[in-house]
Amino acid sequence: MAIHIVLVEPEIPPNTGNIARTAAATDSVLHLVKPLGFSLDEKSLRRAGLDYWPYVSLEVHESLDEFLEKYSDRRMWLSTTKGDKLYTEADFRDEDMILFGKETAGLPRGFIEERKEWAIRIPMSRDTRLRSLNLSNAANIVLFEALRQLGFPGLE
């Protein structure tokens, strides 16, 4: 059993490093979709992931189109501030994929519109100055809800 965390064009190395550490600790699969805003060898990325990197099930994809072609048969939840459904209303299943967009822009608007029924959001203040939560925090919130629904498979 595994949940897949998909970061589409992540830009900030420490966020990705933190998410990688969580993926390792939860036996989740981490997908990185290029272009990346950093090198996978970058020191701050490695530092945030600590010594967990050898335990990360990692797939790197050249583009969103390549990723979608490879996994067209999978259920994909889109974590976005544009979602109508709360993340707690999603019915997560084994092997589901949870997609997160880049820190400065999120997932592409057209991509979300085409898959609106799969768009989920984390509730937050209506203050328009606050655009979104930190990517690594958001990924943890949604991932742990998915794992909770599945009974925390293989975790103690």
Side-chain angles (χ1 to χ4, degrees), residues 13-144:
N15 283 338
T16 300
N18 289 333
I19 294 167
R21 185 176 177 180
T22 298
T26 59
D27 295 325
S28 300
V29 180
L30 177 61
H31 299 259
L32 302 180
V33 178
K34 292 181 177 181
L36 307 178
F38 49 84
S39 162
L40 291 174
D41 297 327
E42 198 158 320
K43 189 175 186 178
S44 58
L45 174 74
R46 295 286 169 192
R47 186 179 319 122
L50 295 174
D51 54 352
Y52 287 74
W53 280 103
Y55 308 105
V56 176
S57 178
L58 175 66
E59 288 189 38
V60 180
H61 306 275
E62 292 302 314
S63 68
L64 182 56
D65 287 340
E66 177 195 285
F67 167 79
L68 292 172
E69 186 174 319
K70 182 174 181 178
Y71 289 103
S72 62
D73 61 331
R74 295 288 183 87
R75 290 171 19 120
M76 296 184 193
W77 296 98
L78 314 181
S79 184
T80 171
T81 58
K82 313 291 185 283
D84 291 331
K85 184 186 302 188
L86 293 178
Y87 75 102
T88 54
E89 296 172 317
D91 176 26
F92 293 104
R93 297 183 192 158
D94 182 32
E95 298 298 328
D96 274 0
M97 302 189 135
I98 307 169
L99 282 67
F100 298 86
K102 59 183 164 183
E103 289 91 338
T104 58
L107 292 166
R109 224 177 250 279
F111 180 76
I112 296 168
E113 285 302 318
E114 292 169 5
R115 298 160 177 82
K116 193 72 171 162
E117 69 275 13
W118 296 98
I120 56 175
R121 67 180 170 80
I122 299 168
M124 54 182 280
S125 171
R126 294 178 190 251
D127 187 332
T128 57
R129 296 172 295 171
L130 308 172
R131 295 184 311 271
S132 64
L133 295 173
N134 171 275
L135 177 61
S136 60
N137 291 336
N140 278 315
I141 289 168
V142 179
L143 171 63
F144 273 87

